[in-house]
Amino acid sequence: MTSVLGEAYRTASPESADQALRADGLLAEFNRAGVLTSADVHVARRLRRLCGESDERVLLAGALAVRAVRHGSVVLELHDVAERVTADSLTADESAALPWPDSDGWVAAVKRSPLVAGGSDGPDDRPLRWVDGLLYLDRYWRQERVVAAYVDAAMQAPPLTADPDRLDAALRRLFPSEEADRQRLAAYVAAHRRFSIVAGGPGTGKTTTVARLLAVLQDLAGGRLRIALAAPTGKAAARMTEAAADEVARFGKLDQDRLGTLTASTLHRLLGTWPGERTRFRYNRDNRLPYDVVVVDEASMVSLTLMSRLIEALRPTCRLILVGDPNQLASIEVGAVLGDLVQRAAPADVVPLPVESAQAGRDLEALSNDEQHAALTIGVVGLTKVHRYGGQIQELAEAIRRGDGENVLDLLGAGHSDIEYVAVDPAASDADLRRLRADALDAGRELITAARAGHAEQPLMALAKHRVLCAHREGPYGVADWGRRVQNWLSEAVDGYATDGLWYVGRPLLVTSNDYQLRLFNGDTGVIVNCDGEPRAAFMREGALDLLAPSRLGEVQTVHAMSIHRSQGSQFERVSVVLPPAESPLLTRELLYTAVTRAKEHVRIIGTEQAVRAAVERRIQRASGLRQLVAASRPESGS
């Protein structure tokens, strides 16, 4: 199974264009059209040599399956692949000019190919697998099966027992609201299910819910639970640690003593990395994690591969609680696991969780029928009350989430104090962007003045006042270009700024790799400050200030602008969002939603009306079989 595809991957390289152009037939045509990269073509050609497949339609399907994974999809759906490729890379006319194989003949050729295993019971030594009309790279089908089998089993298992009187007492103490409370309902569900999801947008109290939920579970267990908190990035893990500590500090002493210190780690660190390995870990199906409860924050960013590895490493009795916003951007790697699981259907034979608590019953009554079903059958509780921001920003985020383009444009054009719309191409002149320039200068001057005066905490606070967010990394709409713009504005406005070498005072820093020794993680931000005449890098870690010699830092960048993907989990007082042209494949509803919800007080969107409409209307197209697999109570067939 893995040997053939692994050999193809090992020998695939971006040497690229010349070797790809030597390919013939369909592979060459799709490569020249820009649909397939040289690496995609190289994998297909290696498979032809290793497995003896000569049908170019099958080789094209294999190359497109590799391409799908590069674009974040788990599977290839042959019946609509032309439409997906058109949305990603081509115009309709360009797609129509390509020699797409006839759908029925293409499917028949794939199903009889020696490269392809058919159905769940197909051979284990094939690099591709055809299941229920979907074509997988075999490794990703197996990873989906791990997740699906786990979730199926968790849904169909009898509810966990909990002393009803003790549970009610804990819920009243930790969730004292007399009103219906979704946070309390999430704790009730977690008390009875091995697997549950706490879903919600920014500011809806997810970390607060988790801390109180864990206090309830520890109460029921007499404080004996071994708990692990984890997140996909070091920055998210550090933020989870700080937020959990703040919440636990509000508890009574008995609950604090039961919980102890809650410290989050990255998922990679939790699972135990091996040198040189990215997807194989010390904890696995043969060496299980020693925890009774595992909570994963920012779960929307967790890839299918990493989620499957985590599930394999859980003890059979361990609770798994996923926390995140399914409407945000998904992992930069393959899969959109949280979104798939939130939207999945329960098997027909799942018995809903009984409601044996008057408090939980009151909480349920406030939900819609669909929300009640999700909570009681598949363990998903969605938090909706926003505590961090409100007003028109929340309304705008909701309109984007619903895909209501007309409402989005109405809100943008209404002149609200917390929403600003600059209806220009962001590559326009500075005159069109004077308010953005003013925000950048105000925040920058405050940061520089405090850093030069030898302060450390003030410039760190100034970092959160304003941020430019971009969809692209390069080009006139990208992070690099907009970072240079802001740098130039500050250099023109502030005497002597950025003239003292690499580590000039007032330089804002973005950490781009994890350094566990320094406790600095990918996505952390800091500032170079004056410390008795010497430059020092100031970072805030777990509520305490760290001043480091710049020579100790690893990989860092100047951060006047940031990609929207990297901004996930961050919050800024004011945000300026630079939208690329409408035809950019990166411009999606999830991207715009993520960008808007980074703002606490004010969001500015810069882009044409066509770009806004395209963003709201275009959803990320990540093909996956997970929703079908989880919902299926029957074995897959090869048909």
Side-chain angles (χ1 to χ4, degrees), residues 408-542:
V408 168
L409 288 167
D410 287 345
L411 288 166
L412 291 178
H416 295 300
S417 60
D418 50 359
I419 297 174
E420 180 183 339
Y421 179 41
V422 184
V424 300
D425 184 325
S429 68
D430 286 359
D432 294 315
L433 307 172
R434 56 190 180 278
R435 289 188 293 273
L436 185 160
R437 188 176 188 273
D439 275 349
L441 289 177
D442 286 347
R445 285 193 181 103
E446 181 177 335
L447 183 154
I448 295 164
T449 300
R452 287 177 171 179
H455 302 303
E457 293 189 12
Q458 289 180 23
L460 288 172
M461 293 173 62
L463 270 178
K465 287 187 173 295
H466 176 259
R467 185 62 49 85
V468 177
L469 300 181
C470 306
H472 292 187
R473 295 188 180 278
E474 303 292 339
Y477 307 93
V479 171
D481 187 83
W482 282 85
R484 284 190 293 269
R485 284 197 190 205
V486 176
Q487 179 91 343
N488 291 339
W489 292 339
L490 288 169
S491 295
E492 294 169 0
V494 180
D495 288 341
Y497 182 64
T499 60
D500 297 331
L502 180 63
W503 304 112
Y504 55 87
V505 173
R507 180 188 176 192
L509 302 174
L510 173 71
V511 177
T512 58
S513 64
N514 292 337
D515 187 327
Y516 290 102
Q517 183 176 2
L518 293 180
R519 293 181 301 122
L520 292 179
F521 303 106
N522 189 355
D524 282 347
T525 54
V527 181
I528 298 295
V529 301
N530 173 31
C531 189
D532 297 326
E534 295 293 329
R536 289 292 182 266
F539 292 91
M540 191 65 70
R541 306 301 306 131
E542 299 178 10

Side-chain angles (χ1 to χ4, degrees), residues 570-608:
S570 299
Q571 289 282 296
F572 308 97
E573 290 180 15
R574 302 174 72 85
V575 163
S576 296
V577 184
V578 177
L579 296 184
E583 58 269 19
S584 170
L586 296 180
L587 194 57
T588 64
R589 184 184 306 173
E590 292 82 358
L591 179 125
L592 184 57
Y593 171 88
T594 300
V596 165
T597 54
R598 299 311 94 200
K600 292 181 181 178
E601 299 177 3
H602 184 272
V603 62
R604 172 185 298 110
I605 295 178
I606 309 161
T608 64

